[in-house]
Amino acid sequence: MLTKRIIPCLDVKDGRVVKGVSFVNLRDAGDPVEVAKLYDQAGADELCFLDITASHENRGILLDVVSRTAEQVFMPLTVGGGVRTLDDIRHLLKAGADKVSINTAAVQNPEFVTEAANRFGTQCIVVAVDAKQVSTASENQARWEIFTHGGRNPTGLDAIEWARHMEAKGAGEILLTSMDQDGQQDGYDLPLTAAVSDAVSIPVIASGGAGTLDHLYDALAVGKADAVLAASIFHYRTYSVAEAKTYLFNRGLPIRQVNGYES
Amino acid sequence: MIAIIDYEMGNLRSVQKGFETVGYDAVVTRDPTVIDRASHVVLPGVGAFGDCVANLNRFELVEPIRRSISQGKPFLGICLGLQVLFTESEEFGSHQGLDIFKGKVKRFSFAEHHGKGLKVPHMGWNAIRIQTPSPILKGIEPESYVYFVHSYYVEPAEPEVICTETTYGIPFVSSIAHDNIFACQFHPEKSQRIGLQLLRNFGAWN
């Protein structure tokens, strides 16, 4: 049976992990390669790097990080942040990324997703969807809108429609982030996650809001997500990947157990 | 020396690094003389079946591949490198494969399951059930999890070549083994400890 995936996500800026990672046994907790190795040993199902480097000139640093990671880590790696051209994708895949995540560039030009899928294969094109609830309490039906630039810029696009559109354009996977929940550690946006999961027939990764293991369970079971992305709860060692997996497995979800891995 | 065939269908560095990690030298090449000299040959590949066959032809790699196989060298196909060994694929119309194994490459179709969470591509970790023991699976427990990402699967005409099966909505063939050939739908280079064990077994196979 296909298992649900647990995906730690590292924010990387100028080649360094941004949110500190509190692992005792790391020589350098700011080095994405060291952290990636640790998650590999811990039995994470995939890994995600989100590059938040402001300037495009420092792109080479990210490629170097990706390439050093790919040499030591034998699990799928998704890299997102600042992916705007086919050349950006080519360079990341060549450096060793398995998938790239496209965000703003897809909003600005949906055909870019099609071009990327045609050139590199739909399986390596993830579309990142950043959504915020815009419906008011008096409305019967919840509505979410797509925002870009870290939630600052509204686009007028309906999130559910947009996810469907991106699937039609060639996305192989949707990385769905609730801008309302992101960073709150208060749980994923379950109605949003469920609505998107139901709307598309490609895998959906839920992101934004994980604070407890219950939250992971709810995103997978209630939100019907295929995978959960989490940062803080793993980085700060609130829970280990192994603890999360054991918990979810014991609650009856299909999870790849990590016997023999360090917790 | 292990030759990993490069025909511009995906990144091959992780396959190469996987072999190096378990102690085997591997070279990424499309040079027929290097492939001829290699002790082991690996055909990886990610992408579309039609492009895969077109690139193998464009780089004149079909004959070196057939030669390696007929010489009895250990041969490992990964993902598209499994599918292309078969007669034909229904991906975007119909495409002819290398026809080393009789059978078809078919697309997962879950129209009747729609809304029940069976998504295409089949992406993530799933278990292999060993149907026929193989030296390539030495030390790998039944029901081990490996990483898949694919929308198509092989349907061999000769069931005796089936090595492992996996279930995604339906049981499908996740690897085949026959004489000096082992080929798998999953990605050993992305399957952590289990995958590295498989690469180690392949490197030791002769």
Side-chain angles (χ1 to χ4, degrees):
Chain A
M1 187 175 203
L2 182 65
T3 52
K4 303 282 190 181
R5 288 169 279 152
I6 310 298
I7 310 175
C9 179
L10 301 178
D11 285 356
V12 179
K13 187 179 183 189
D14 298 325
R16 303 284 296 172
V17 177
V18 177
K19 291 175 196 160
V21 178
S22 24
F23 288 123
V24 282
N25 48 346
L26 276 189
R27 262 185 329 194
D28 178 2
D31 180 3
V33 183
E34 289 286 311
V35 179
K37 274 166 67 178
L38 203 105
Y39 280 128
D40 191 30
Q41 287 155 15
D45 294 315
E46 289 188 24
L47 196 65
C48 182
F49 284 168
L50 182 62
D51 182 41
I52 55 172
T53 304
S55 79
H56 222 68
E57 291 84 73
N58 284 350
R59 205 65 185 165
I61 302 173
L62 174 72
L63 293 176
D64 177 59
V65 165
V66 170
S67 125
R68 286 189 294 120
T69 303
E71 294 192 359
Q72 303 193 37
V73 165
F74 298 100
M75 68 172 154
L77 174 66
T78 300
V79 182
V83 175
R84 300 186 192 289
T85 66
L86 292 178
D87 267 346
D88 289 341
I89 300 176
R90 182 177 298 115
H91 292 145
L92 284 170
L93 295 178
K94 197 147 195 277
D98 297 287
K99 309 181 219 178
V100 295
S101 157
I102 304 172
N103 192 341
T104 307
V107 174
Q108 288 168 345
N109 176 20
E111 292 307 318
F112 176 54
V113 173
T114 307
E115 287 165 22
N118 285 343
R119 176 64 189 86
F120 304 105
T122 180
Q123 81 290 332
C124 68
I125 303 302
V126 181
V127 171
V129 172
D130 291 351
K132 235 187 223 184
Q133 185 159 357
V134 290
S135 49
T136 56
S138 60
E139 291 180 50
N140 288 329
Q141 186 105 31
R143 287 186 295 113
W144 296 268
E145 185 177 327
I146 301 300
F147 282 71
T148 60
H149 300 87
R152 290 194 304 277
N153 297 3
T155 63
L157 296 163
D158 177 78
I160 313 300
E161 294 290 317
W162 180 248
R164 272 204 201 100
H165 188 50
M166 287 296 96
E167 177 182 17
K169 287 293 175 191
E173 194 166 40
I174 299 285
L175 168 54
L176 176 66
T177 302
S178 161
M179 303 309 290
D180 300 306
Q181 296 303 103
D182 200 28
Q184 301 299 311
Q185 300 206 24
D186 197 23
Y188 296 85
D189 185 332
L190 301 178
L192 168 68
T193 308
V196 172
S197 295
D198 281 341
V200 298
S201 55
I202 51 177
V204 173
I205 306 168
S207 161
T212 68
L213 299 184
D214 264 344
H215 294 155
L216 302 182
Y217 176 84
D218 287 343
L220 297 167
V222 183
K224 306 176 202 175
D226 301 279
V228 280
L229 191 100
S232 309
I233 65 163
F234 295 135
H235 300 337
Y236 298 134
R237 295 285 275 174
T238 318
Y239 303 100
S240 70
V241 172
E243 279 169 339
K245 290 193 150 197
T246 302
Y247 175 84
L248 297 169
F249 182 84
N250 287 340
R251 288 199 64 182
L253 288 177
I255 292 288
R256 180 176 67 114
Q257 284 282 67
V258 286
N259 298 336
Y261 284 103
E262 299 163 28
S263 62
Chain B
M1 171 72 79
I2 297 169
I4 301 167
I5 299 179
D6 178 13
Y7 57 116
E8 293 186 350
M9 294 301 286
N11 173 45
L12 309 178
R13 184 207 287 269
S14 51
V15 180
Q16 184 184 25
K17 289 292 168 188
F19 278 117
E20 289 173 2
T21 299
V22 296
Y24 291 95
D25 283 338
V27 59
V28 173
T29 184
R30 67 173 68 116
D31 180 345
T33 59
V34 175
I35 297 169
D36 282 343
R37 275 206 312 268
S39 60
H40 295 59
V41 174
V42 181
L43 184 66
V46 167
F49 189 96
D51 295 344
C52 167
V53 175
N55 281 12
L56 287 176
N57 282 318
R58 179 156 67 96
F59 295 123
E60 299 181 346
L61 288 166
V62 173
E63 276 319 303
I65 288 170
R66 290 193 191 281
R67 203 154 53 229
S68 301
I69 289 173
S70 64
Q71 284 166 351
K73 279 181 199 175
F75 183 94
L76 174 65
I78 299 172
C79 195
L80 265 182
L82 157 73
Q83 297 179 2
V84 77
L85 301 178
F86 282 79
T87 312
E88 61 178 338
S89 168
E90 62 178 31
E91 183 167 355
F92 302 118
S94 184
H95 290 277
Q96 297 304 305
L98 301 186
D99 198 29
I100 289 162
F101 294 99
K102 299 289 174 203
K104 284 185 177 176
V105 183
K106 304 180 76 169
R107 191 171 209 277
F108 284 117
S109 174
F110 295 124
E112 70 274 23
H113 294 286
H114 206 76
K116 290 189 183 168
L118 285 174
K119 303 186 168 182
V120 180
H122 171 225
M123 185 188 286
W125 296 80
N126 203 334
I128 50 173
R129 292 188 304 276
I130 299 170
Q131 307 294 305
T132 313
S134 159
I136 301 302
L137 300 178
K138 195 182 99 189
I140 295 176
E141 297 292 312
E143 299 290 322
S144 285
Y145 283 98
V146 290
Y147 189 82
F148 290 87
V149 49
H150 63 124
S151 300
Y152 293 77
Y153 61 95
V154 299
E155 206 173 70
E158 298 143 326
E160 57 272 21
V161 304
I162 298 171
C163 182
T164 65
E165 283 190 343
T166 294
T167 296
Y168 187 57
I170 52 168
F172 71 91
V173 175
S174 48
S175 70
I176 62 165
H178 181 69
D179 295 340
N180 53 317
I181 300 174
F182 183 91
C184 51
Q185 185 58 66
F186 50 87
H187 290 269
E189 78 281 12
K190 295 290 159 191
S191 298
Q192 292 176 341
R193 198 182 45 166
I194 301 293
L196 292 177
Q197 178 65 30
L198 192 152
L199 296 182
R200 185 182 289 116
N201 290 339
F202 178 74
W205 200 29
N206 50 39

